[in-house]
């Protein structure tokens, strides 16, 4: 492959990789509503992002992925879209988005936008037209309308369950107001599923891709990418199905759709990148999406859910690398996003894995322990082969905000569980930028906050603001900045191979990148010796008096030159 030079004005110099920029990139996820409020209405917006672009450049990331910024009634955090070619007025205008894309690029930051192909808002013109047209009309074929079961059609067409709880079907009214057909929604009722067997649906989305690619975005993140295609007969879910034959998850027909999207992306002089949100547990099925003619990368959701445990992490890393190697795709490493519990909180609990099903409020949490582990996890993720994602606030070590009153929560996951599931709002609270009380510089001074529209920031975040952390060499922000800078300057980090260095202690993960870089993570509860090294590059916490790596600590090392083979007699790991 021809080497490509990627621009990197923020960090000085250029970086050469064998493939595209995305194979090694550090991508920062921006949840616009909670990032920064430029207009002074208490809601984050594009002006706020533009005012903080230098913060992102200085953090050392290569690209920004924006959660949906389109017009939306906000029934599901913007994942219910009315118009895929516009910007929500609360966030700004299309011209603002174009300016943001260009400004970011001039600072060396590429832009990735979110596309949501599985469903639209129930306020989208297509769904309104389908409702207005009534049963049998061609507009209904864009969606999944079906008569109900039972004598009067009172029961949903099948037993599928929504991801947010309750039936995946809602009964629509006929144009004359009488009870009518039911429509499918794998998520909230305000998010009707599109029918991907319909050529209009396919054409429309390819056109939406071109719309954003033409405006200079470098790629798209594809929401719920494994759910688009449904079995045409809408059968009950049967766990005994063959590969690719589940009623609506990971169906084989999806691959035609993404091959077409790839052709759209590849038609640009600088080919655009497709990043899939593919929740498919089988690594081999997952790798099918990453074949050279389909998606470029996908989020590593296995790693995201893994507990803080050396064996489980190593298994996840090995499984990931083997599956990706088979199709020549780079892995990605993700510690958090807008859907999951903040790492500082998750790692401070007895159960450090993530699962939607087990989220409960009031779980005992040791935040100091969580913080220590989150720091080590960051160095692990950034040293692994491939690209890495950072969700806004992760670099500040924000904890999950757990004491938001139910009435102020916005997430349908919370409300549709009858309040049992805390939902995802605790990771979507406005960022603290400066000052010692809410809104911590999130909004301009004097802004009146509308409690209906904005999630509350906790008291006690003064030490977590970006301003405070920049001044504190021991802060999470300073660690992220140092690590991302080092990662940029290390030719062996990013895309490439990994070589495990095996310490005797099973609670230690240690691997080399290239000949002279090593990452060691101690997940045991005793201090661990470091392998022979020339220099310590970075640690997530200070070494002990004997130069050993404490529990829940990670180190980046420069290995000796000429490289020694590390043998067990030299390094016991203890
Ligand atoms: O809900 C799940 C499991 O019960 C997840 O697997 C779910 O499919 C996944 O979180 C999809 O998330 C994405 O699409 C959702 C949106 O609410 C999320 O914010 C988004 O990341 C619907 O658009």
């Amino acid at each position: 492959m021809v080497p490509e030079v990627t621009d990197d004005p923020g960090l000085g110099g250029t970086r050469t990789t064998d493939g595209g920029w995305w194979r090694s990139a550090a991508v920062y996820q921006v949840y616009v509503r909670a990032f920064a409020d430029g207009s002074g209405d208490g809601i984050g917006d594009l002006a706020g992002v533009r005012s903080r672009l230098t913060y992102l450049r200085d953090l050392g990331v290569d690209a920004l992925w924006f959660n949906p910024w389109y017009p939306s009634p906000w029934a599901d955090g913007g994942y219910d879209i009315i118009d895929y070619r516009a910007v929500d007025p609360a966030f700004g205008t299309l011209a603002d988005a174009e300016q943001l894309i260009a400004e970011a690029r001039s600072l060396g930051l590429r832009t990735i936008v979110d596309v949501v192909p599985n469903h639209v808002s129930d306020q989208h013109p297509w769904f309104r037209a389908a409702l207005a047209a009534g049963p049998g009309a061609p507009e209904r074929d864009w969606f999944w309308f079906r008569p109900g079961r039972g004598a009067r059609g009172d029961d949903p067409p099948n037993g599928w369950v929504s991801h947010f709880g309750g039936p995946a079907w809602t009964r629509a009214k006929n144009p004359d107001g009488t009870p009518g057909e039911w429509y499918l929604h794998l998520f909230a009722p305000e998010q009707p599923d599109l029918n991907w067997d319909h050529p209009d649906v396919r054409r429309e989305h390819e056109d939406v891709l071109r719309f954003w690619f033409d405006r200079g975005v470098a790629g798209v993140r594809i929401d719920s990418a494994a759910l688009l295609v449904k079995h045409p007969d809408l059968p009950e879910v049967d766990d005994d199905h063959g590969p690719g034959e589940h009623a609506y998850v990971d169906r084989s027909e999806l691959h035609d759709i993404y091959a077409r999207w790839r052709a759209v992306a590849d038609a640009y002089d600088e080919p655009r990148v497709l990043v899939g949100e593919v929740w498919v547990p089988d690594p081999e099925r997952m790798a099918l999406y990453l074949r050279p003619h389909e998606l470029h990368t996908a989020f590593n959701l296995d790693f995201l859910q893994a507990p803080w445990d050396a064996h489980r992490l190593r298994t996840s890393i090995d499984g990931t690398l083997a599956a990706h190697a088979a199709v020549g795709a780079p892995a990605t490493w993700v510690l958090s996003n807008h859907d999951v519990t903040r790492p500082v909180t998750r790692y401070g609990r007895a159960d450090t894995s993530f699962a939607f099903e087990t989220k409960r409020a009031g779980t005992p949490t040791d935040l100091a322990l969580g913080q220590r582990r989150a720091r080590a996890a960051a160095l692990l993720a950034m040293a692994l082969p491939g690209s890495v994602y950072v969700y806004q606030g992760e670099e500040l070590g924000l904890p999950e905000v757990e004491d938001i009153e139910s009435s102020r929560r916005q997430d349908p996951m919370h409300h549709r569980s009858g309040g049992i599931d805390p939902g995802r709002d605790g990771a979507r609270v406005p960022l603290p930028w400066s000052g010692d009380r809410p809104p911590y510089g999130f909004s301009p001074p004097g802004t009146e906050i509308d409690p209906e529209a904005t999630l509350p920031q906790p008291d006690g975040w003064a030490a977590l603001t970006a301003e405070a952390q920049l001044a504190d060499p021991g802060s999470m922000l300073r660690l992220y900045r140092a690590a991302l800078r080092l990662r940029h300057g290390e030719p062996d980090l990013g895309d490439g191979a990994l070589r495990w260095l095996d310490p005797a202690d099973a609670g230690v993960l240690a691997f080399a990148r290239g000949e002279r870089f090593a990452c060691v993570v101690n997940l045991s509860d005793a201090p661990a010796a470091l392998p022979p090294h020339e220099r310590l590059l970075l640690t997530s916490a200070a070494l002990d008096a004997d130069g050993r790596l404490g529990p829940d600590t990670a180190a980046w090392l420069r290995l000796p030159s000429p490289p020694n083979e590390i043998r067990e007699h030299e390094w016991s790991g203890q």
Side-chain angles (χ1 to χ4, degrees):
M1 229 182 234
V2 184
E4 182 181 287
V5 175
T6 57
D7 46 344
D8 171 25
L11 297 162
T14 55
R15 179 170 184 164
T16 308
T17 59
D18 286 330
W21 60 273
W22 43 273
R23 297 186 72 93
S24 296
V27 185
Y28 186 92
Q29 180 189 347
V30 184
Y31 188 82
V32 176
R33 197 179 184 92
F35 185 74
D37 167 21
S39 69
D41 62 357
I43 299 175
D45 49 35
L46 301 190
V49 179
R50 285 172 57 200
S51 73
R52 303 283 180 184
L53 281 175
T54 52
Y55 167 87
L56 297 169
R57 177 200 61 193
D58 294 345
L59 181 59
V61 294
D62 307 289
L64 309 176
W65 150 35
F66 290 91
N67 286 104
W69 59 25
Y70 318 104
S72 164
W74 214 257
D76 175 25
Y79 284 90
D80 47 319
I81 298 170
I82 294 181
D83 181 352
Y84 287 68
R85 297 177 183 80
V87 169
D88 195 293
F91 296 159
T93 62
L94 182 58
D96 292 333
E98 288 170 341
Q99 209 159 349
L100 169 57
I101 294 164
E103 280 170 13
R105 188 57 196 261
S106 73
L107 295 175
L109 301 167
R110 288 180 163 86
T111 296
I112 295 172
V113 296
D114 217 314
V115 293
V116 184
N118 182 68
H119 44 266
V120 296
S121 164
D122 63 350
Q123 304 301 312
H124 188 285
W126 284 20
F127 193 70
R128 294 171 76 115
L131 282 184
E139 289 87 342
R140 290 224 160 178
D141 289 340
W142 290 326
F143 300 93
W144 294 97
F145 280 91
R146 290 290 181 278
R149 287 179 299 180
R152 291 183 313 171
D154 285 345
D155 298 322
N158 68 24
W160 295 3
V161 175
S162 149
H163 281 285
F164 295 155
W169 296 91
T170 291
R171 193 165 194 183
K173 286 197 171 66
N174 289 318
D176 66 5
T178 56
E181 293 179 325
W182 296 68
Y183 67 90
L184 176 69
H185 52 86
L186 291 182
F187 293 92
E190 295 88 347
Q191 295 168 293
D193 277 48
L194 288 165
N195 170 12
W196 273 85
D197 297 336
H198 198 302
D200 289 354
V201 171
R202 295 188 180 220
R203 230 184 346 255
E204 168 69 359
H205 279 272
E206 286 170 27
D207 198 56
V208 166
L209 294 180
R210 285 190 204 95
F211 180 87
W212 289 104
F213 292 159
D214 289 347
R215 279 161 183 75
V217 312
V220 291
R221 177 262 188 190
I222 307 163
D223 185 67
S224 301
L227 301 181
L228 275 48
V229 178
K230 280 81 186 174
H231 189 301
D233 302 338
L234 307 178
E236 293 303 337
V237 172
D238 172 5
D239 286 335
D240 268 347
H241 61 85
E245 288 170 12
H246 183 281
Y248 60 83
V249 182
D250 183 32
R251 288 189 60 83
S252 296
E253 300 90 336
L254 284 163
H255 297 290
D256 299 335
I257 296 172
Y258 296 129
R260 293 187 55 144
W261 285 29
R262 180 61 176 256
V264 173
D266 282 349
Y268 288 78
D269 284 344
E270 185 183 67
R272 307 309 202 233
V273 171
L274 308 174
V275 182
E277 189 211 19
V278 187
W279 289 87
V280 170
D282 176 348
E284 278 164 32
R285 291 290 308 172
M286 168 88 184
L288 295 178
Y289 293 85
L290 301 174
R291 288 174 293 182
H293 62 286
E294 291 196 36
L295 310 183
H296 296 75
T297 62
F299 296 107
N300 190 338
L301 300 166
D302 185 62
F303 184 77
L304 172 77
Q305 297 172 92
W308 186 245
D309 172 89
H311 174 71
R312 294 282 298 278
L313 283 168
R314 182 159 173 168
T315 306
S316 177
I317 293 165
D318 282 337
T320 298
L321 294 177
H324 284 71
V327 288
T332 67
W333 308 98
V334 187
L335 293 172
S336 70
N337 64 32
H338 64 294
D339 289 334
V340 307
T341 310
R342 292 275 193 190
V344 163
T345 299
R346 172 158 79 90
Y347 289 142
R349 292 179 169 168
D351 178 359
T352 52
S353 62
F354 175 79
F356 285 103
E357 304 74 40
T358 55
K359 275 189 85 174
R360 292 284 177 273
T363 311
T365 307
D366 177 346
L367 285 180
L369 177 66
Q371 177 92 356
R372 191 175 170 88
R373 289 175 171 169
R375 291 172 66 91
L379 295 198
L380 170 64
M382 289 187 212
L384 288 167
S387 66
V388 66
Y389 282 79
V390 178
Y391 172 49
Q392 70 180 42
E394 184 186 314
E395 82 282 16
L396 300 176
L398 298 186
E400 185 83 0
V401 180
E402 298 195 271
D403 58 358
I404 305 170
E405 278 171 47
S406 184
S407 61
R408 290 194 70 175
R409 289 190 182 263
Q410 300 175 353
D411 187 0
M413 241 182 199
H414 172 69
H415 296 294
R416 287 177 64 84
S417 74
I420 293 170
D421 183 329
R424 300 164 294 179
D425 294 312
R428 301 176 178 183
V429 168
L431 291 191
W433 289 97
S434 58
D436 52 16
R437 53 176 189 275
Y440 301 106
F442 175 77
S443 289
T447 299
E448 297 243 347
I449 304 289
D450 171 2
E452 295 272 302
T454 305
L455 293 167
Q457 294 168 313
D459 294 324
W461 268 13
L464 292 176
T465 64
E467 182 184 60
Q469 295 202 39
L470 276 179
D472 172 6
S475 68
M476 186 71 105
L477 179 56
R478 292 281 289 268
L479 179 76
Y480 266 73
R481 279 167 52 121
L484 287 164
R485 271 160 191 271
L486 267 169
R487 186 179 182 276
H488 247 272
E490 280 292 323
D492 289 324
L493 290 187
D495 197 20
L498 160 160
R499 181 165 48 93
W500 289 106
L501 308 170
D502 281 312
D505 184 344
V508 175
L509 292 176
F511 55 90
R513 302 294 317 275
E515 294 294 352
R516 301 207 44 216
F517 179 96
C519 173
V520 185
V521 191
N522 183 2
L523 294 102
S524 76
D525 49 17
L530 289 172
H533 57 278
E534 189 180 283
R535 198 153 57 88
L536 259 187
L537 299 173
L538 190 62
T539 54
S540 65
L543 301 183
D544 72 9
D546 299 323
R548 292 176 308 172
L549 195 61
D552 301 312
T553 306
W556 285 3
L557 309 173
R558 174 75 65 235
L559 296 175
S561 167
N564 289 337
E565 200 168 304
I566 296 166
R567 296 195 192 85
E568 235 165 77
H569 70 269
E570 287 174 318
W571 180 34
S572 68
Q574 296 297 318

